[in-house]
Amino acid sequence: MEKRLEKRILGLDPGLAILGFGAICTPVGDPIATATSLKSAPIPTQAIATSVKLLDFGVIQTAAKNEIGSRLCTIYEDLHTILQEWQPDLVAIEKLFFYRMASTISVAQARGVLMLVLAQHNIPYIEFTPAQIKQALTGWGNADKRDVQLAVARELNLDYIPQPDDAADALAVALTAWFQV
């Protein structure tokens, strides 16, 4: 088997109604060490960012009018498709944020499906809290959503903010994994 010189990371922002996903491709190894090995002169931060490549982003949506079992099946099937298409080496997931009990339970059920699918594909995963993601991308654990979205666009060298928000959040999770792993 040929060894890849890149690492594919899939970020997931779990939800029952909307599950965001974002796939990136990074060089193998430390982002700063990889960038500095390319030249002998000091490397500007922008050169580090250009070493990350956006592969895909989007959402898996389920209709509220559908029965919960059907909605979980949609997540199960669509996530299998995404994993087969992008073949990530690592999946990064935003940890469950307790907001309202009703939404927490449905998100936990969707996360259970995510964990099952990842286990079936034997793909390792890592989890980050919202504060860890904000800290990694903006330097401040209480940053607002807009600041995180702007950081995602900057790190991926995009002239737009990925939409919808759930997809941008998933890309933020994937970037956090690249910074941390």
Side-chain angles (χ1 to χ4, degrees):
M1 187 167 131
E2 183 179 318
K3 185 174 178 176
R4 289 194 328 212
L5 298 175
E6 63 186 24
K7 179 181 242 180
R8 291 182 178 192
I9 302 173
L10 178 67
L12 297 174
D13 180 25
L16 180 63
I18 302 174
L19 185 150
F21 70 89
I24 61 173
C25 183
T26 68
V28 172
D30 175 54
I32 295 172
T34 302
T36 55
S37 69
L38 300 175
K39 293 182 182 177
S40 58
I43 304 296
T45 305
Q46 292 168 329
I48 296 169
T50 58
S51 65
V52 179
K53 188 169 53 173
L54 174 64
L55 297 175
D56 192 17
F57 64 90
V59 295
I60 297 171
Q61 288 188 276
T62 67
K65 65 180 169 121
N66 293 347
E67 182 264 326
I68 192 156
S70 173
R71 295 172 78 183
L72 294 172
C73 283
T74 297
I75 291 170
Y76 177 86
E77 292 163 1
D78 288 359
L79 188 56
H80 271 292
T81 301
I82 291 166
L83 293 176
Q84 288 170 349
E85 180 174 354
W86 294 113
Q87 299 177 12
D89 300 295
L90 176 68
V91 173
I93 305 169
E94 184 171 348
K95 279 188 179 178
L96 191 56
F97 178 74
F98 294 96
Y99 179 61
R100 293 183 318 228
M101 186 51 87
S103 64
T104 300
I105 291 170
S106 64
V107 172
Q109 291 169 327
R111 283 177 52 83
V113 170
L114 297 180
M115 301 303 171
L116 172 63
V117 173
L118 294 176
Q120 289 175 329
H121 285 264
N122 293 316
I123 299 173
Y125 67 89
I126 188 168
E127 297 181 273
F128 298 103
T129 65
Q132 288 174 310
I133 296 163
K134 292 173 182 180
Q135 177 71 36
L137 268 78
T138 69
W140 189 46
N142 287 322
D144 65 25
K145 187 177 260 318
R146 178 78 176 159
D147 290 336
V148 173
Q149 292 172 340
L150 289 170
V152 166
R154 180 188 67 244
E155 293 298 330
L156 294 173
N157 201 27
L158 304 173
D159 57 0
Y160 61 92
I161 292 174
Q163 293 294 321
D165 290 352
D166 304 272
D169 292 347
L171 287 168
V173 179
L175 287 166
T176 301
W178 180 52
F179 296 154
Q180 302 293 323
V181 177

mmCIF file of all heavy atoms in Angstrom, residues 80-103:
data_model
loop_
_atom_site.group_PDB
_atom_site.id
_atom_site.type_symbol
_atom_site.label_atom_id
_atom_site.label_comp_id
_atom_site.label_asym_id
_atom_site.label_seq_id
_atom_site.Cartn_x
_atom_site.Cartn_y
_atom_site.Cartn_z
ATOM 1 N N HIS A 80 -22.000 7.523 5.670
ATOM 2 C CA HIS A 80 -21.273 6.445 4.982
ATOM 3 C C HIS A 80 -20.789 6.926 3.611
ATOM 4 O O HIS A 80 -19.639 6.678 3.231
ATOM 5 C CB HIS A 80 -22.160 5.210 4.799
ATOM 6 C CG HIS A 80 -22.124 4.241 5.927
ATOM 7 N ND1 HIS A 80 -21.018 3.494 6.242
ATOM 8 C CD2 HIS A 80 -23.067 3.892 6.829
ATOM 9 C CE1 HIS A 80 -21.269 2.719 7.279
ATOM 10 N NE2 HIS A 80 -22.518 2.947 7.661
ATOM 11 N N THR A 81 -21.648 7.604 2.877
ATOM 12 C CA THR A 81 -21.297 8.105 1.550
ATOM 13 C C THR A 81 -20.147 9.107 1.625
ATOM 14 O O THR A 81 -19.199 9.038 0.832
ATOM 15 C CB THR A 81 -22.530 8.757 0.883
ATOM 16 O OG1 THR A 81 -23.561 7.773 0.786
ATOM 17 C CG2 THR A 81 -22.201 9.300 -0.498
ATOM 18 N N ILE A 82 -20.212 10.028 2.569
ATOM 19 C CA ILE A 82 -19.154 11.035 2.725
ATOM 20 C C ILE A 82 -17.827 10.367 3.075
ATOM 21 O O ILE A 82 -16.779 10.702 2.519
ATOM 22 C CB ILE A 82 -19.559 12.079 3.793
ATOM 23 C CG1 ILE A 82 -20.723 12.931 3.275
ATOM 24 C CG2 ILE A 82 -18.373 12.950 4.190
ATOM 25 C CD1 ILE A 82 -21.420 13.754 4.347
ATOM 26 N N LEU A 83 -17.859 9.398 3.972
ATOM 27 C CA LEU A 83 -16.628 8.701 4.357
ATOM 28 C C LEU A 83 -16.036 7.915 3.188
ATOM 29 O O LEU A 83 -14.818 7.886 3.003
ATOM 30 C CB LEU A 83 -16.882 7.775 5.546
ATOM 31 C CG LEU A 83 -17.225 8.456 6.869
ATOM 32 C CD1 LEU A 83 -17.540 7.414 7.934
ATOM 33 C CD2 LEU A 83 -16.104 9.375 7.325
ATOM 34 N N GLN A 84 -16.887 7.292 2.400
ATOM 35 C CA GLN A 84 -16.400 6.551 1.232
ATOM 36 C C GLN A 84 -15.798 7.502 0.201
ATOM 37 O O GLN A 84 -14.783 7.189 -0.416
ATOM 38 C CB GLN A 84 -17.527 5.737 0.618
ATOM 39 C CG GLN A 84 -17.919 4.548 1.469
ATOM 40 C CD GLN A 84 -19.194 3.864 1.005
ATOM 41 O OE1 GLN A 84 -19.922 4.364 0.159
ATOM 42 N NE2 GLN A 84 -19.479 2.708 1.596
ATOM 43 N N GLU A 85 -16.406 8.658 0.034
ATOM 44 C CA GLU A 85 -15.907 9.604 -0.969
ATOM 45 C C GLU A 85 -14.568 10.220 -0.559
ATOM 46 O O GLU A 85 -13.647 10.304 -1.361
ATOM 47 C CB GLU A 85 -16.932 10.714 -1.200
ATOM 48 C CG GLU A 85 -16.472 11.715 -2.237
ATOM 49 C CD GLU A 85 -17.529 12.740 -2.589
ATOM 50 O OE1 GLU A 85 -18.677 12.638 -2.120
ATOM 51 O OE2 GLU A 85 -17.192 13.659 -3.351
ATOM 52 N N TRP A 86 -14.440 10.664 0.698
ATOM 53 C CA TRP A 86 -13.250 11.408 1.095
ATOM 54 C C TRP A 86 -12.218 10.584 1.845
ATOM 55 O O TRP A 86 -11.077 11.014 2.007
ATOM 56 C CB TRP A 86 -13.658 12.648 1.907
ATOM 57 C CG TRP A 86 -14.406 13.585 1.019
ATOM 58 C CD1 TRP A 86 -15.722 13.930 1.103
ATOM 59 C CD2 TRP A 86 -13.900 14.236 -0.144
ATOM 60 N NE1 TRP A 86 -16.053 14.763 0.070
ATOM 61 C CE2 TRP A 86 -14.950 14.976 -0.713
ATOM 62 C CE3 TRP A 86 -12.649 14.280 -0.764
ATOM 63 C CZ2 TRP A 86 -14.802 15.741 -1.863
ATOM 64 C CZ3 TRP A 86 -12.499 15.044 -1.916
ATOM 65 C CH2 TRP A 86 -13.559 15.759 -2.450
ATOM 66 N N GLN A 87 -12.570 9.418 2.314
ATOM 67 C CA GLN A 87 -11.642 8.518 2.996
ATOM 68 C C GLN A 87 -10.726 9.250 3.985
ATOM 69 O O GLN A 87 -9.498 9.242 3.835
ATOM 70 C CB GLN A 87 -10.823 7.745 1.971
ATOM 71 C CG GLN A 87 -11.696 6.898 1.070
ATOM 72 C CD GLN A 87 -10.900 6.172 0.004
ATOM 73 O OE1 GLN A 87 -9.686 6.114 0.037
ATOM 74 N NE2 GLN A 87 -11.618 5.603 -0.937
ATOM 75 N N PRO A 88 -11.330 9.867 5.001
ATOM 76 C CA PRO A 88 -10.501 10.622 5.947
ATOM 77 C C PRO A 88 -9.619 9.712 6.792
ATOM 78 O O PRO A 88 -9.954 8.567 7.060
ATOM 79 C CB PRO A 88 -11.545 11.337 6.821
ATOM 80 C CG PRO A 88 -12.759 10.472 6.748
ATOM 81 C CD PRO A 88 -12.752 9.886 5.361
ATOM 82 N N ASP A 89 -8.481 10.280 7.188
ATOM 83 C CA ASP A 89 -7.566 9.592 8.097
ATOM 84 C C ASP A 89 -7.972 9.843 9.544
ATOM 85 O O ASP A 89 -7.610 9.077 10.434
ATOM 86 C CB ASP A 89 -6.140 10.101 7.889
ATOM 87 C CG ASP A 89 -5.670 9.871 6.469
ATOM 88 O OD1 ASP A 89 -5.545 8.695 6.088
ATOM 89 O OD2 ASP A 89 -5.455 10.859 5.737
ATOM 90 N N LEU A 90 -8.686 10.940 9.760
ATOM 91 C CA LEU A 90 -9.100 11.351 11.098
ATOM 92 C C LEU A 90 -10.405 12.123 10.974
ATOM 93 O O LEU A 90 -10.599 12.867 10.008
ATOM 94 C CB LEU A 90 -8.031 12.251 11.726
ATOM 95 C CG LEU A 90 -8.325 12.852 13.092
ATOM 96 C CD1 LEU A 90 -8.366 11.768 14.169
ATOM 97 C CD2 LEU A 90 -7.281 13.911 13.439
ATOM 98 N N VAL A 91 -11.279 11.941 11.951
ATOM 99 C CA VAL A 91 -12.514 12.724 12.018
ATOM 100 C C VAL A 91 -12.469 13.539 13.302
ATOM 101 O O VAL A 91 -12.080 13.034 14.353
ATOM 102 C CB VAL A 91 -13.767 11.822 11.989
ATOM 103 C CG1 VAL A 91 -15.030 12.623 12.238
ATOM 104 C CG2 VAL A 91 -13.857 11.092 10.643
ATOM 105 N N ALA A 92 -12.817 14.806 13.187
ATOM 106 C CA ALA A 92 -12.883 15.700 14.340
ATOM 107 C C ALA A 92 -14.345 16.079 14.548
ATOM 108 O O ALA A 92 -15.049 16.427 13.601
ATOM 109 C CB ALA A 92 -12.043 16.941 14.090
ATOM 110 N N ILE A 93 -14.782 15.987 15.795
ATOM 111 C CA ILE A 93 -16.189 16.202 16.115
ATOM 112 C C ILE A 93 -16.306 17.262 17.202
ATOM 113 O O ILE A 93 -15.546 17.245 18.182
ATOM 114 C CB ILE A 93 -16.835 14.889 16.626
ATOM 115 C CG1 ILE A 93 -16.648 13.764 15.610
ATOM 116 C CG2 ILE A 93 -18.317 15.096 16.947
ATOM 117 C CD1 ILE A 93 -17.018 12.390 16.140
ATOM 118 N N GLU A 94 -17.266 18.167 17.028
ATOM 119 C CA GLU A 94 -17.532 19.125 18.093
ATOM 120 C C GLU A 94 -18.260 18.405 19.217
ATOM 121 O O GLU A 94 -19.228 17.680 18.986
ATOM 122 C CB GLU A 94 -18.379 20.292 17.588
ATOM 123 C CG GLU A 94 -18.586 21.343 18.655
ATOM 124 C CD GLU A 94 -19.227 22.609 18.143
ATOM 125 O OE1 GLU A 94 -19.324 22.796 16.922
ATOM 126 O OE2 GLU A 94 -19.644 23.413 18.996
ATOM 127 N N LYS A 95 -17.762 18.586 20.437
ATOM 128 C CA LYS A 95 -18.386 17.951 21.606
ATOM 129 C C LYS A 95 -19.771 18.528 21.833
ATOM 130 O O LYS A 95 -20.048 19.681 21.502
ATOM 131 C CB LYS A 95 -17.545 18.170 22.859
ATOM 132 C CG LYS A 95 -16.389 17.229 22.974
ATOM 133 C CD LYS A 95 -15.721 17.362 24.330
ATOM 134 C CE LYS A 95 -14.579 16.382 24.445
ATOM 135 N NZ LYS A 95 -13.888 16.517 25.718
ATOM 136 N N LEU A 96 -20.587 17.722 22.441
ATOM 137 C CA LEU A 96 -21.959 18.102 22.737
ATOM 138 C C LEU A 96 -21.994 19.312 23.658
ATOM 139 O O LEU A 96 -21.327 19.350 24.683
ATOM 140 C CB LEU A 96 -22.676 16.919 23.396
ATOM 141 C CG LEU A 96 -24.165 16.989 23.549
ATOM 142 C CD1 LEU A 96 -24.852 17.226 22.205
ATOM 143 C CD2 LEU A 96 -24.679 15.690 24.143
ATOM 144 N N PHE A 97 -22.756 20.305 23.254
ATOM 145 C CA PHE A 97 -22.927 21.524 24.036
ATOM 146 C C PHE A 97 -24.328 21.502 24.618
ATOM 147 O O PHE A 97 -25.312 21.411 23.889
ATOM 148 C CB PHE A 97 -22.736 22.749 23.127
ATOM 149 C CG PHE A 97 -22.949 24.052 23.828
ATOM 150 C CD1 PHE A 97 -21.998 24.532 24.713
ATOM 151 C CD2 PHE A 97 -24.085 24.805 23.594
ATOM 152 C CE1 PHE A 97 -22.192 25.742 25.358
ATOM 153 C CE2 PHE A 97 -24.277 26.011 24.227
ATOM 154 C CZ PHE A 97 -23.326 26.483 25.111
ATOM 155 N N PHE A 98 -24.426 21.544 25.936
ATOM 156 C CA PHE A 98 -25.734 21.460 26.587
ATOM 157 C C PHE A 98 -26.422 22.812 26.536
ATOM 158 O O PHE A 98 -25.945 23.783 27.117
ATOM 159 C CB PHE A 98 -25.578 20.994 28.042
ATOM 160 C CG PHE A 98 -25.073 19.600 28.125
ATOM 161 C CD1 PHE A 98 -23.724 19.331 28.291
ATOM 162 C CD2 PHE A 98 -25.940 18.532 27.994
ATOM 163 C CE1 PHE A 98 -23.254 18.044 28.343
ATOM 164 C CE2 PHE A 98 -25.485 17.228 28.048
ATOM 165 C CZ PHE A 98 -24.138 16.985 28.227
ATOM 166 N N TYR A 99 -27.516 22.848 25.816
ATOM 167 C CA TYR A 99 -28.259 24.091 25.663
ATOM 168 C C TYR A 99 -29.663 23.913 26.212
ATOM 169 O O TYR A 99 -30.017 24.442 27.234
ATOM 170 C CB TYR A 99 -28.267 24.504 24.190
ATOM 171 C CG TYR A 99 -29.034 25.758 23.914
ATOM 172 C CD1 TYR A 99 -28.665 26.962 24.493
ATOM 173 C CD2 TYR A 99 -30.128 25.743 23.065
ATOM 174 C CE1 TYR A 99 -29.373 28.116 24.248
ATOM 175 C CE2 TYR A 99 -30.838 26.896 22.803
ATOM 176 C CZ TYR A 99 -30.456 28.076 23.397
ATOM 177 O OH TYR A 99 -31.162 29.203 23.141
ATOM 178 N N ARG A 100 -30.459 23.148 25.504
ATOM 179 C CA ARG A 100 -31.799 22.804 25.968
ATOM 180 C C ARG A 100 -31.900 21.294 26.003
ATOM 181 O O ARG A 100 -31.394 20.622 25.117
ATOM 182 C CB ARG A 100 -32.855 23.354 25.001
ATOM 183 C CG ARG A 100 -32.931 24.855 24.963
ATOM 184 C CD ARG A 100 -34.061 25.285 24.038
ATOM 185 N NE ARG A 100 -34.066 24.460 22.833
ATOM 186 C CZ ARG A 100 -34.140 24.918 21.606
ATOM 187 N NH1 ARG A 100 -34.237 26.195 21.387
ATOM 188 N NH2 ARG A 100 -34.149 24.108 20.568
ATOM 189 N N MET A 101 -32.568 20.765 27.003
ATOM 190 C CA MET A 101 -32.627 19.320 27.165
ATOM 191 C C MET A 101 -33.194 18.621 25.929
ATOM 192 O O MET A 101 -32.653 17.619 25.478
ATOM 193 C CB MET A 101 -33.448 18.946 28.410
ATOM 194 C CG MET A 101 -33.414 17.462 28.696
ATOM 195 S SD MET A 101 -31.766 16.741 28.745
ATOM 196 C CE MET A 101 -31.319 17.023 30.415
ATOM 197 N N ALA A 102 -34.270 19.136 25.345
ATOM 198 C CA ALA A 102 -34.882 18.484 24.180
ATOM 199 C C ALA A 102 -33.898 18.403 23.015
ATOM 200 O O ALA A 102 -33.756 17.366 22.372
ATOM 201 C CB ALA A 102 -36.150 19.221 23.761
ATOM 202 N N SER A 103 -33.197 19.486 22.718
ATOM 203 C CA SER A 103 -32.249 19.454 21.602
ATOM 204 C C SER A 103 -31.008 18.644 21.960
ATOM 205 O O SER A 103 -30.403 18.017 21.093
ATOM 206 C CB SER A 103 -31.867 20.868 21.165
ATOM 207 O OG SER A 103 -31.186 21.545 22.198
#
